[in-house]
Amino acid sequence: MRNFFYQLSSATARFMYGRNGGDQLNVALLVVYLAMCLLQAAFTQNHSVSMALHLLTLAVAAVVLFRMFSRNLEKRRGFRHTPKHILARPYRRCRDRK
């Protein structure tokens, strides 16, 4: 049994070689995904809103998986700094007002 798990972990490591894995944008997208899941649970009575939220949730999950398993590292490195720049501008504005 131990040999099976060793082979499974080796195969997973070979598969992930050269891939980016998770980064800060993926974490932010996962937070959005969880928030959308909660909204979807809140709107179960309205089927059209629930279906739209379900489709958007699936799209966000697909983007997260695509980014995690992508081998295009140069493009992913460009997106890695995006959340910091987006969040830094309003923070600097609030900080400078004091």
Side-chain angles (χ1 to χ4, degrees), residues 33 36 53-63:
Y33 172 79
M36 290 174 74
L53 283 172
H54 181 69
L55 292 175
L56 286 173
T57 306
L58 286 176
V60 169
V63 168

Side-chain angles (χ1 to χ4, degrees), residues 20-58:
N20 200 23
D23 59 357
Q24 291 175 347
L25 185 57
N26 272 1
V27 172
L29 286 173
L30 284 174
V31 170
V32 169
Y33 172 79
L34 290 174
M36 290 174 74
C37 284
L38 291 174
L39 281 174
Q40 182 182 357
F43 288 107
T44 55
Q45 298 298 324
N46 193 342
H47 294 293
S48 59
V49 173
S50 179
M51 182 59 73
L53 283 172
H54 181 69
L55 292 175
L56 286 173
T57 306
L58 286 176

Side-chain angles (χ1 to χ4, degrees), residues 7-8 15 32-33 42 58 63 67 74-75 84 97:
Q7 288 178 344
L8 184 64
F15 175 74
V32 169
Y33 172 79
L58 286 176
V63 168
R67 292 190 80 251
E74 294 301 319
K75 202 168 200 178
K84 291 179 186 174
R97 287 182 189 173

Side-chain angles (χ1 to χ4, degrees), residues 6-19 71:
Y6 177 75
Q7 288 178 344
L8 184 64
S9 67
S10 296
T12 305
R14 281 192 308 272
F15 175 74
M16 288 301 290
Y17 181 77
R19 288 179 168 78
R71 286 194 174 189

